[in-house]
Amino acid sequence: MKREIRLLIISLLIIMSGCSYSTLNEAIKGDTPYKVNNVIHIEKVEGISIVLYDTLPERKEFPHLIEPVLGVSFFKGNDEDGWKNIGPNGWQHQENDQFTIYHDFFREYTHEGNLVIDIPVVFGEINNEDIKKIVTLEQGDRENYMDAVIIEKDYGRYYLASGRVTSIKGLSKNGEIIEQVDWETN
């Protein structure tokens, strides 16, 4: 009886402490709620690993979506102490001839409710082959566009930028604007 109680207590402690994986790749495979088809890019911001990936939607729920869709997950940890998925998880899909635009964010608060980390991200797929560069404008700025990270894979071209973005431009090799999208944020 004592042994059973000890096993029960140990099991509850393991469950309450949450799962941790020894490598980021293991955490991506085991702790992302969707089956990751391809890891497209990993970007570290403020100690958080932002993982851009694609996944195949559940065919029964989304029979019209046959192409992979983009998702982003947020992981915290290291190979010594372990890795854990800590962020909102989801995938998104839209059609666009130029480039898609998706927004997500990670926020971490203290137990008192004070904001410690705020990482908004913008990401998407570049569909127009003439777009060679993606630049973003941060909220409150009117002219200092920053380069987004461009990721080229055999299966597509993508971009990722962090910050409170309010404008995105897709530029040609010569710097001409092919597409520009602006919006307001709060």
Side-chain angles (χ1 to χ4, degrees):
M1 179 75 168
K2 286 184 180 182
R3 183 175 181 210
E4 291 171 344
I5 291 174
R6 273 188 270 174
L7 285 174
L8 179 62
I9 291 171
I10 290 170
S11 297
L12 287 174
L13 288 173
I14 290 171
I15 290 170
M16 289 182 353
S17 67
C19 293
S20 178
Y21 296 85
S22 59
T23 68
L24 179 56
N25 284 337
E26 288 176 11
I28 291 168
K29 288 179 185 166
D31 211 12
T32 304
Y34 308 103
K35 185 176 185 292
V36 175
N37 189 40
N38 294 296
V39 172
I40 296 168
H41 184 71
I42 300 171
E43 185 85 14
K44 197 160 195 159
V45 176
E46 295 186 45
I48 306 300
S49 294
I50 303 165
V51 178
L52 178 63
Y53 65 92
D54 68 6
T55 184
L56 296 170
E58 194 63 42
R59 294 289 298 159
K60 289 179 184 176
E61 292 182 51
F62 304 97
H64 62 287
L65 295 178
I66 56 174
E67 296 292 319
V69 295
L70 288 180
V72 69
S73 289
F74 301 85
F75 290 84
K76 192 172 192 178
N78 56 54
D79 289 350
E80 189 175 300
D81 299 325
W83 290 90
K84 186 174 181 180
N85 184 330
I86 56 167
N89 294 278
W91 59 262
Q92 301 181 43
H93 176 75
Q94 59 182 240
E95 301 292 328
N96 188 301
D97 292 334
Q98 305 300 326
F99 56 86
T100 58
I101 302 170
Y102 306 121
H103 304 264
D104 211 332
F105 64 90
F106 170 76
R107 291 186 181 127
E108 185 175 294
Y109 296 89
T110 65
H111 291 293
E112 295 78 31
N114 299 319
L115 183 63
V116 178
I117 299 174
D118 183 16
I119 306 172
V121 294
V122 152
F123 59 97
E125 184 171 10
I126 304 168
N127 297 314
N128 182 333
E129 65 184 39
D130 294 331
I131 294 176
K132 302 300 181 193
K133 187 176 190 178
I134 297 283
V135 294
T136 64
L137 186 66
E138 184 111 10
Q139 180 179 5
D141 198 340
R142 296 191 187 270
E143 57 190 55
N144 297 310
Y145 278 84
M146 304 294 292
D147 291 349
V149 174
I150 302 286
I151 306 105
E152 298 201 25
K153 300 286 187 176
D154 292 340
Y155 43 86
R157 294 173 53 232
Y158 308 89
Y159 71 92
L160 175 71
S162 62
R164 237 170 251 304
V165 172
T166 59
S167 179
I168 295 180
K169 292 180 185 178
L171 305 176
S172 71
K173 180 174 66 172
N174 299 329
E176 297 167 356
I177 299 171
I178 295 174
E179 178 81 353
Q180 179 171 348
V181 180
D182 302 300
W183 62 91
E184 297 277 330
T185 64
N186 295 327

